[in-house]
Amino acid sequence: MSEQKRAKAALSSRGNVHVMTEGSPLKHILTFMLPVLLGQLVQQTYNMCDSIIVGRILGAEALAAVGASSSVQFMYLGFCSGMCDGFAIHAAQCFGAGDEKTMRRYIHHMVVLSAIIAGIMTLVTCLFCPAIIRVLHTPDNIYSRAVSYLLILFLGIPFTIFYNLQASILRAVGNSREPFLFLLVSSALNIVLDLFAVAVLNLGVAGAALATITSQALSGVFCLIFIAKKMEILHVRKDERRWSGHLAGNLIVMGIPMGLQFSITAIGSMVMQACNNSLGSIYVSGYTTGDRVEQLVMCPYVALSSSMATYVGQNYGAGRFERVRKGVFQAIIMAHLYGLIFGSLMALTGRAAASLFLSPGPETDQILDVAEQFLRTVGFTFWLVSSVNVYRPSIQAMDCPGKAIFSGVIEMIARCVFSLSLIGVLGFTAICWTHQSAWISAGLYVFFMYYHVISMREKQFGKKLTSNHSQS
């Protein structure tokens, strides 16, 4: 048995890890994906409960205040999770190749870089919070509450990175179960805290934000305790803490573009939201409720994207390109089927789902009309987002973050051009079709780029093997 195979056997024999370089690709992807999906569902269920609590207890204007900055929340949350997932790709590649020592050295550098970035992000976002809310054309009647809600979330950025980094490290070695379990516990507590802060302490939308960042902090603490007690393979030794500019550079080159990819995409969403906010608080509330439903249905795509990054990363690190191709093909078929079926269900039942967020009132029917229009339009075209969530993480996992981030640029441009150019003519209908313009544009790009990248990497790997054989 070769040294690399012995290392892989040693890794796979340990508990709490999942080696994806052997066996059925689809089985590995689904096994890994299930806990991630459940975690996403739990998180989105909490988000829905949060909106229901705010909408039914505090009213439609408070719900609009929470939703007025949803694109900004998507931007910074996307950057945090994308950056952490990008950092973890190198750990997944080392794990797939059986290089345990280098994997832990990467983990040490991930922690240091994440702490620095968390501090910078918190300072900058808090300073510019009021200006951000103004730029979004937030209506005056919800401005102050929107600022207080977003400011508290910005103060919780270190907690967001704290959890996402540890969850990404665990997923890099194939463990997606424990991050889900910790998220489940903290989200349940989050709902309780939400009710207590809003209904009992009367803290308004600020109470909802405080409950959110408290939950994120608890998730991170639970992950840290688990890693400390159960994941010896992730414990960084003293000699592995030596700083390396090369390793840090590799992480920055992979992690920052992945984070920016989500942020750049969110800039398009911010432009779209600014256009929507200019239509008035009814449209803000309607879009917010519709968006909450869409994000719930989007959870399997998010989980699949995370699974593909780990699956492709491990097999790319092991040089198993035939497994990469097979797994990606099976994943895209599954993604299209899901989008067709559940997108149609979302379109047909969207109004009933949106009605959960609102108590009866003079504007309720108008808000539900807006939400229904959005969900019906998005639902019947939902399968279009499949390519972005399968091919893009696969490109990233094969060490091509620049090519992946360009797909985010394409999404941003499509959303900006579509919403800005058509909002004056079509009104809210333009908002309803903005997502699809981004999905089609970016989907076509990543489809062709994936096949280019994997062909290029296969040739490079073949040349490397030939060179090694000739030298031996």
Side-chain angles (χ1 to χ4, degrees), residues 117-132 151 154 157:
I117 292 169
I120 295 172
M121 284 184 63
T122 303
L123 177 63
V124 172
T125 54
C126 287
L127 285 174
F128 289 97
C129 181
I132 292 171
L151 181 61
F154 281 158
I157 285 176

Side-chain angles (χ1 to χ4, degrees), residues 252-286:
I252 290 171
V253 168
M254 182 65 76
I256 299 303
M258 281 189 67
L260 289 176
Q261 168 196 299
F262 288 97
S263 298
I264 289 172
T265 301
I267 291 173
S269 297
M270 288 175 66
V271 171
M272 180 189 73
Q273 181 151 32
C275 292
N276 186 60
N277 287 355
S278 67
L279 298 175
S281 60
I282 287 177
Y283 285 95
V284 177
S285 297

Side-chain angles (χ1 to χ4, degrees), residues 57-219:
I57 295 177
L58 301 178
E61 284 194 359
L63 179 62
V66 169
S69 61
S70 61
S71 59
V72 180
Q73 296 169 46
F74 173 71
M75 181 174 71
Y76 85 81
L77 288 172
F79 179 84
C80 293
S81 62
M83 179 191 70
C84 292
D85 286 345
F87 283 169
I89 282 177
H90 283 295
Q93 291 172 350
C94 292
F95 180 77
D99 189 354
E100 181 180 332
K101 185 178 180 66
T102 304
M103 177 186 71
R104 288 196 293 267
R105 291 197 66 198
Y106 269 121
I107 290 172
H108 171 68
H109 287 71
M110 289 161 63
V111 172
V112 175
L113 290 173
S114 296
I116 295 171
I117 292 169
I120 295 172
M121 284 184 63
T122 303
L123 177 63
V124 172
T125 54
C126 287
L127 285 174
F128 289 97
C129 181
I132 292 171
I133 295 298
R134 280 297 184 200
V135 167
L136 291 174
H137 299 299
T138 304
D140 291 337
N141 61 324
I142 60 174
Y143 172 79
S144 60
R145 282 179 286 185
V147 170
S148 64
Y149 181 80
L150 188 60
L151 181 61
I152 293 172
L153 293 183
F154 281 158
L155 289 170
I157 285 176
F159 301 134
T160 301
I161 293 179
F162 180 49
Y163 166 74
N164 278 283
L165 180 65
Q166 294 177 95
S168 295
I169 291 170
L170 287 170
R171 288 195 292 265
V173 296
N175 187 330
S176 56
R177 183 185 61 187
E178 267 65 31
F180 155 66
L181 294 176
F182 302 145
L183 190 62
L184 176 63
V185 173
S186 65
S187 293
L189 181 59
N190 199 347
I191 294 172
V192 175
L193 290 173
D194 217 346
L195 283 167
F196 181 70
V198 174
V200 179
L201 298 181
N202 295 316
L203 295 178
V205 296
L210 286 169
T212 297
I213 65 172
T214 301
S215 170
Q216 291 170 345
L218 289 172
S219 297

Side-chain angles (χ1 to χ4, degrees), residues 396-410:
Q396 292 164 339
M398 290 186 285
D399 282 338
C400 290
K403 290 179 172 60
I405 195 175
F406 189 67
S407 69
V409 174
I410 293 173

Side-chain angles (χ1 to χ4, degrees), residues 372-435:
E372 182 180 23
Q373 181 185 354
F374 173 76
L375 291 171
R376 186 174 293 274
T377 306
V378 171
F380 286 126
T381 56
F382 198 59
W383 61 274
L384 291 170
V385 77
S386 299
S387 295
V388 176
N389 286 284
V390 174
Y391 293 124
R392 181 156 63 193
S394 301
I395 294 170
Q396 292 164 339
M398 290 186 285
D399 282 338
C400 290
K403 290 179 172 60
I405 195 175
F406 189 67
S407 69
V409 174
I410 293 173
E411 283 195 70
M412 177 195 70
I413 293 173
R415 283 193 171 93
C416 291
V417 170
F418 201 90
S419 57
L420 287 172
S421 62
L422 295 178
I423 186 71
V425 178
L426 300 177
F428 187 69
T429 300
I431 302 298
C432 294
W433 283 98
T434 299
H435 284 324

Side-chain angles (χ1 to χ4, degrees), residues 14 91 99-112 165-166 169 173 224 226-244 247 251:
R14 303 185 184 193
D99 189 354
E100 181 180 332
K101 185 178 180 66
T102 304
M103 177 186 71
R104 288 196 293 267
R105 291 197 66 198
Y106 269 121
I107 290 172
H108 171 68
H109 287 71
M110 289 161 63
V111 172
V112 175
L165 180 65
Q166 294 177 95
I169 291 170
V173 296
L224 182 62
F226 175 76
I227 290 173
K229 292 188 174 183
K230 300 290 186 180
M231 299 295 293
E232 184 180 352
I233 188 176
L234 301 178
H235 294 180
V236 181
R237 279 58 166 169
K238 187 175 181 180
D239 64 304
E240 295 164 348
R241 297 172 188 166
R242 185 177 71 259
W243 185 259
S244 167
L247 296 184
L251 289 174

